[in-house]
Amino acid sequence: MAFLLVGTGGILGALFRYQLSKWIGERLIVSFPVATLFINVTGSFLLGLFTRSLAGWLPQFGPSPMLLFGVGLCGAYTTFSTFSYEFIILLRERRYAAALLYLASSFVFCIAAGGLGLYGFPS
Amino acid sequence: MAYLAVAIGGFIGACLRFVISEMIGTVHGFPLATLCINVTGSFFLAWFYTITLERIPIHPHLRLGVGTGLVGAFTTFSTLTVDTWKLVEAGMYTDAALYVTLSFVLGLAAAGFGYALAARQSRLRFQPDFRKEG
């Protein structure tokens, strides 16, 4: 049962990330990895929010909502490996300023977003 | 078809992460599972994307399924973020700083190594064998 919930969330998260990356990639003709940054920031916020509030919103379902939306969806939607790969590509292209900006903004914005999700909406 | 590949990869990646998280979890409160997941995933993705670009051509949908789907779903930035805040909340500031630093340093280093390995493997293929001409 846990596998099905995590797996379903995994499917939804991966598909959403894929579609969003395509959508952003088509509309923003920039060579900075904006899509992954946006995905990781919004995903961090959502996981923070779900971690804090999901049990309160859906108390009757026990741990299931967190497995589906938190572990499954948010976990699959955000991606550390693509972030790492894109950083390496920026380095390979000798775009050191862009790489540093990507690293710093990912760290600052994702930590901030996670904190906002966790603590920004007291229940 | 691309969506199916990403979906299948996403399912497998998420379940794989779930299994490893349940097995390893935290060691003395330190989120070792997520650290290991992100580092190995970063290494593999960089290697996989590079090797399939430069040496071993595979179908674009398979590349999507494994890369975007499986590895993308396997690694997670959001859990890294929330785990860090949990450490801070528990007053484990040193562990929080160590966790973030290790995640970024090891993750990016792993990706760099994966890329370099694949690039080297790609180069080796084209080395002429002069011994055959002797």
Side-chain angles (χ1 to χ4, degrees):
Chain A
M1 187 59 185
F3 270 90
L4 204 59
L5 288 167
V6 171
T8 302
I11 291 174
L12 295 174
L15 285 176
F16 196 38
R17 169 163 45 82
Y18 173 61
Q19 188 58 49
L20 200 56
S21 294
K22 279 183 60 174
W23 191 88
I24 294 178
E26 284 164 2
R27 280 159 180 77
L28 283 179
I29 313 301
V30 293
S31 53
F32 191 81
V34 177
T36 305
L37 180 58
F38 178 80
I39 284 162
N40 283 339
V41 170
T42 53
S44 293
F45 169 78
L46 284 175
L47 184 62
L49 190 65
F50 290 155
T51 301
R52 181 62 57 182
S53 309
L54 207 51
W57 293 342
L58 304 166
Q60 66 272 35
F61 293 108
S64 294
M66 193 56 193
L67 287 174
L68 177 65
F69 294 113
V71 179
L73 194 143
C74 290
Y77 170 64
T78 62
T79 169
F80 190 88
S81 53
T82 303
F83 157 78
S84 298
Y85 177 69
E86 284 167 342
F87 177 84
I88 294 301
I89 294 304
L90 289 174
L91 287 187
R92 187 191 67 174
E93 295 170 355
R94 299 185 197 279
R95 298 171 55 203
Y96 303 118
L100 194 62
L101 178 63
Y102 186 43
L103 179 64
S105 56
S106 290
F107 172 76
V108 172
F109 290 149
C110 288
I111 293 290
L116 184 64
L118 277 164
Y119 311 112
F121 302 88
S123 53
Chain B
M1 194 59 198
Y3 290 103
L4 182 60
V6 172
I8 293 173
F11 185 93
I12 297 173
C15 287
L16 196 57
R17 172 165 44 82
F18 181 64
V19 170
I20 293 175
S21 295
E22 290 294 297
M23 283 171 51
I24 302 179
T26 59
V27 177
H28 301 306
F30 192 86
L32 192 59
T34 305
L35 179 59
C36 292
I37 285 164
N38 282 344
V39 172
T40 57
S42 293
F43 169 82
F44 179 80
L45 187 74
W47 176 84
F48 179 74
Y49 271 171
T50 308
I51 204 79
T52 53
L53 262 181
E54 300 187 14
R55 182 176 183 186
I56 307 173
I58 61 170
H59 195 280
H61 289 160
L62 183 58
R63 196 166 187 273
L64 262 182
V66 175
T68 302
L70 197 152
V71 185
F74 176 65
T75 65
T76 168
F77 210 109
S78 55
T79 303
L80 159 63
T81 301
V82 172
D83 280 350
T84 302
W85 277 112
K86 284 179 178 176
L87 288 171
V88 170
E89 196 174 326
M92 302 165 67
Y93 305 114
T94 305
D95 281 7
L98 183 66
Y99 176 56
V100 172
T101 305
L102 279 181
S103 291
F104 276 82
V105 172
L106 293 183
L108 297 177
F113 186 67
Y115 170 84
L117 178 63
R120 177 180 148 83
Q121 286 171 324
S122 302
R123 249 180 269 117
L124 284 177
R125 185 190 184 194
F126 304 107
Q127 294 299 317
D129 192 343
F130 293 111
R131 289 173 295 178
K132 291 183 177 178
E133 303 173 21

